C-alpha cells in the first residue's frame, strides 16, 4: 500500500508569509506526528494526533505554528508569519495505534517538506 | 529535558568491516530504544528496536542495550557502501514533558569506503 505522503516536497517563501504543509498518512493509521529537522539537529517533536482525541501540541515552538487533522486522516501544519529560523525539513509520520500501544508501534515517515524562508 | 547523545561522526569504515554506532541517553526509566537509518535527503526508516538488556540480532545488524549504563549501540557487520547513511538513535520518553514521544539523537553519519 501507499506510504505517508507529504506536499509540497519543497517550499521557498519570504519572511513574514504564511505556509501550509500537508501530510497524508497511511490508510488506517490512527496516530499522526509532525517533526522538524533542522540542519545538524535531531528530529524535534512538534505535535501528535490520536484519533479524535485532543492533539498534544506540547512541541510547537511558538503560537505561529498550528496544525489540524481533518476526518482523522489528512493533516495540515500551518506556520504563520514565517521567520528564517523556521527553515528546516518538516517530517510527518503515522503509526497504527500511537501512544496507547506503548513504544512498540512503529512510526512510518513521509518524505518531508523542505521549507526555506528567505 | 531528556537527552539522547550520539557522536556526529563521520564514522568511516572500510567495506566488509564492522561499524559500531553508539548512543547514550539521560532518562534512566526509558524502556524502549530504536535505531533509524536516514539516507541523505530521505526520510528516516526504522531498522531495529530493542527493549531488553543484551543483544538483538537481525541479519547484519545487532543492537545492544545496557540499561544500567544507559547505553545502546548498533553494530553493522560486513559493512557495505549501501550502508552509508546517518543513523539516528531514538528513545521512547517516559515523562517530564517527553512522555509518549520519541526523543531522537542528532545522528551519526556513517561512510563505508569500497
Amino acid at each position: 500500500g501507499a506510504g505517508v505522503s507529504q506536499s509540497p516536497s519543497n517550499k521557498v517563501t519570504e519572511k513574514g508569509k504564511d505556509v501550509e504543509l500537508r501530510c497524508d498518512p497511511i490508510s488506517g493509521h490512527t496516530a499522526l506526528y509532525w517533526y522538524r529537522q533542522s540542519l545538524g539537529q535531531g528530529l524535534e517533536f512538534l505535535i501528535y494526533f490520536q484519533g479524535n482525541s485532543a492533539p498534544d501540541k506540547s512541541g510547537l515552538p511558538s503560537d505561529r505554528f498550528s496544525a489540524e487533522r481533518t476526518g482523522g486522516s489528512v493533516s495540515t501544519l500551518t506556520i504563520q508569519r514565517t521567520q528564517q529560523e523556521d527553515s528546516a525539513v518538516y517530517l510527518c509520520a503515522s503509526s497504527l495505534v500511537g501512544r496507547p500501544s506503548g513504544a512498540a508501534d512503529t512510526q512510518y515517515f513521509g518524505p518531508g517538506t523542505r521549507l526555506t524562508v528567505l | 529535558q531528556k537527552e539522547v547523545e550520539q557522536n556526529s561522526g563521520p564514522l568511516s569504515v572500510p567495506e566488509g568491516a564492522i561499524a559500531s554506532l553508539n548512543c547514550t541517553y539521560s532518562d534512566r526509566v526509558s524502556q524502549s530504544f530504536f535505531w533509524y537509518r536516514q539516507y541523505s535527503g530521505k526520510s528516516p526508516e526504522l531498522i531495529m528496536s530493542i527493549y531488553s538488556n543484551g543483544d538483538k540480532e537481525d541479519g547484519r545488524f545487532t543492537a545492544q542495550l545496557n540499561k544500567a549504563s544507559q547505553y545502546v549501540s548498533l553494530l553493522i557487520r560486513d559493512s557495505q557502501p549501501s550502508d552509508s547513511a546517518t543513523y539516528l538513535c531514538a528513545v521512547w520518553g517516559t515523562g517530564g514533558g517527553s512522555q509518549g514521544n520519541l526523543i531522537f539523537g542528532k545522528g551519526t553519519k556513517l561512510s563505508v569506503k569500497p
Side-chain angles (χ1 to χ4, degrees), chain B residues 35-95:
Chain B
W35 283 99
Y36 283 79
R37 177 176 62 198
Q38 187 174 26
Y39 291 113
S40 181
K42 303 295 185 182
S43 57
E45 58 177 326
L46 180 68
I47 54 173
M48 289 285 285
S49 59
I50 187 166
Y51 309 103
S52 304
N53 276 329
D55 295 359
K56 179 182 177 182
E57 187 174 319
D58 184 0
R60 294 186 296 111
F61 298 95
T62 299
Q64 299 176 317
L65 175 61
N66 184 326
K67 292 182 182 178
S69 300
Q70 295 175 236
Y71 176 95
V72 58
S73 64
L74 180 69
L75 302 179
I76 306 175
R77 290 183 299 282
D78 187 25
S79 296
Q80 302 297 309
S82 58
D83 295 326
S84 298
T86 296
Y87 290 80
L88 305 175
C89 174
V91 176
W92 188 256
T94 59

Side-chain angles (χ1 to χ4, degrees), chain A residues 2-5 23-29 31-32 69 72-75 92-95:
Chain A
V4 178
S5 61
C23 171
D24 203 340
I26 293 172
S27 178
H29 280 195
L32 186 148
R69 188 179 184 192
S73 182
V74 172
S75 177
C92 174
S94 72
S95 67

Side-chain angles (χ1 to χ4, degrees), chain A residues 33 35 37 40-43 45 56 58 91 99 102-104 106-107 109-111, chain B residues 32 34 36 38 41-44 46 51 88 92 97 99-102 104-106:
Chain A
Y33 308 77
Y35 294 90
Q37 188 172 33
Q41 300 297 314
L43 273 77
F45 165 77
D56 175 1
S58 61
L91 289 160
R99 288 176 182 171
T106 299
Q107 295 184 25
F109 284 83
Chain B
S32 306
F34 307 87
Y36 283 79
Q38 187 174 26
K42 303 295 185 182
S43 57
L46 180 68
Y51 309 103
L88 305 175
W92 188 256
Q99 187 169 6
N101 292 335
L102 275 178
F104 285 86
K106 296 181 180 180

